[in-house]
Amino acid sequence: MAFYDIFNGDADGICALHQLRLSEPRTAELVTGTKREIRLVERVAAQSGDELTVLDVSFDTNRAAVVAALQAGARVRYFDHHFAGDIPSLAGLTADIDTAPDVCTSLLVDRFLGGAQRVWAVVAAFGDNLDAAAANAAAPLGLTHQAVMQLQALGECLNYNAYGESVEDLYYHPADLYRALAPYADPFRFVAGEPVYEVLREGMNDDLFRADEIEPYLADDTHALLLLPEAAWSRRVGGVLANRLAHQHPERAHAIVTAKPGGFLVSVRAPVEHPRGADMLCRRFETGGGRAGAGGINHLPADELERFARAFAQAFADA
């Protein structure tokens, strides 16, 4: 028998796993990658008796690999908030999937655990750009405003580390970042005493400073699109930049389009005031997906940029 923890490398995936392992400690093989690496279950050659815990990656994208694992005799426990499609009723599968726009995977795990590690769900919700949901989750904890702001900053930094064309763009491999986080039941101790946090905070601030110098490719009252150059800092900053712009202009949709060989990497945020439609827009393109409030396209061919710009504007014209 083998155990596998399979998780998105962003704040939500890492914090979802952290909550589970704080409450249910066990040693498992870690399977993860950048934010965009979501076909993770197929990396596991599951056998009879194995247990797979899958967190914050689309069930629809991993459907075939999950079914194969179940047919091999493995058990799968699945938590997610992205588009799932039809969920099969198969022996060995336990699925907790909720695609509501104000839910993230860590909040689902928090619900499953009865709030036992809620402070980490707050970190994740902030990292996933769900500020209102994060504030609601934090309310029963009796934290000061300053403490909540620290959790928000931590969530943003963890999420920032997940963006890149490959793990070479990142400051830390997400598995290593999880391992650095794992000894800390208290996020405030991590913030105060873990050098990893300071590296991420300084890197994020530096990349955001560079991004501030970029003029919008197009912008009006309902949507804005920024085109970033092909560079490691651009690939790292796309997600946190999209989240920040979304909260600065909650009535607008935002797209961060980052140049890469042969095309572009795309991050989309629906308007905070109307957090719907991002996943539907991105799924119109071959490598696109996401959730209602936020989506992305892993590779937009260069000759489809104008098509995307038109589709983006149309999708949120009445935002």
Side-chain angles (χ1 to χ4, degrees):
M1 174 188 292
F3 298 105
Y4 298 92
D5 286 338
I6 304 166
F7 60 102
N8 196 304
D10 69 356
D12 194 19
I14 288 174
C15 290
L17 178 59
H18 191 38
Q19 289 178 84
L20 275 176
R21 293 297 158 250
L22 285 172
S23 292
E24 302 176 357
R26 78 179 185 193
T27 301
E29 182 176 337
L30 303 181
V31 181
T32 187
T34 67
K35 170 78 172 178
R36 307 292 181 144
E37 294 179 72
I38 59 174
R39 294 183 180 275
L40 297 178
V41 181
E42 65 186 27
R43 299 182 184 180
V44 174
Q47 300 180 19
S48 180
D50 291 350
E51 294 189 13
L52 284 62
T53 301
V54 189
L55 301 151
D56 200 40
V57 290
S58 164
F59 184 92
D60 190 56
T61 300
N62 288 279
R63 178 188 311 276
V66 170
V67 171
L70 294 168
Q71 291 175 340
R75 289 185 291 174
V76 179
R77 181 165 63 174
Y78 214 110
F79 293 90
D80 189 46
H81 67 132
H82 300 91
F83 175 78
D86 294 330
I87 302 172
S89 297
L90 294 174
L93 173 64
T94 303
D96 189 343
I97 296 177
D98 185 343
T99 61
D102 59 348
V103 170
C104 64
T105 301
S106 285
L107 289 173
L108 297 179
V109 172
D110 173 70
R111 185 190 303 169
F112 173 75
L113 295 176
Q117 312 295 340
R118 177 161 297 172
V119 68
W120 288 103
V122 174
V123 172
F126 275 127
D128 227 24
N129 201 38
L130 299 175
D131 287 12
N136 288 338
L141 301 179
L143 301 171
T144 66
H145 176 73
Q146 181 181 6
V148 172
M149 291 301 97
Q150 284 184 300
L151 297 180
Q152 180 174 12
L154 174 56
E156 289 179 347
C157 284
L158 295 177
N159 214 51
Y160 159 76
N161 184 71
Y163 283 85
E165 179 68 13
S166 66
V167 293
E168 285 72 27
D169 285 337
L170 312 183
Y171 280 94
Y172 300 100
H173 191 292
D176 293 332
L177 182 55
Y178 168 74
R179 293 186 185 100
L181 199 72
Y184 294 89
D186 181 351
F188 300 106
R189 290 186 59 198
F190 181 84
V191 168
E194 177 54 61
V196 164
Y197 174 70
E198 191 62 21
V199 170
L200 293 179
R201 189 181 69 84
E202 291 184 0
M204 184 180 73
N205 289 337
D206 183 59
D207 288 349
L208 283 169
F209 178 81
R210 298 187 194 191
D212 284 342
E213 304 297 314
I214 304 294
E215 293 293 326
Y217 181 77
L218 57 88
D220 61 21
D221 291 340
T222 61
H223 65 285
L225 187 154
L226 272 69
L227 187 59
L228 301 186
E230 182 183 342
W233 73 265
S234 300
R235 296 188 290 271
R236 285 194 302 265
V237 83
V240 69
L241 177 60
N243 290 346
R244 294 231 172 159
L245 289 173
H247 285 284
Q248 289 171 4
H249 305 279
E251 75 289 351
R252 293 196 319 194
H254 294 85
I256 308 300
V257 180
T258 304
K260 58 183 286 190
F264 302 93
L265 184 72
V266 181
S267 290
V268 174
R269 299 294 181 272
V272 171
E273 294 181 350
H274 307 282
R276 297 189 181 278
D279 55 341
M280 294 177 62
L281 167 66
C282 293
R283 287 205 308 273
R284 292 168 61 181
F285 297 84
E286 184 176 355
T287 59
R291 54 184 172 85
I297 303 170
N298 287 343
H299 181 79
L300 180 72
D303 59 4
E304 291 196 13
L305 176 59
E306 290 305 317
R307 176 192 164 212
F308 170 78
R310 289 193 300 271
F312 172 63
Q314 292 167 1
F316 301 105
D318 298 323

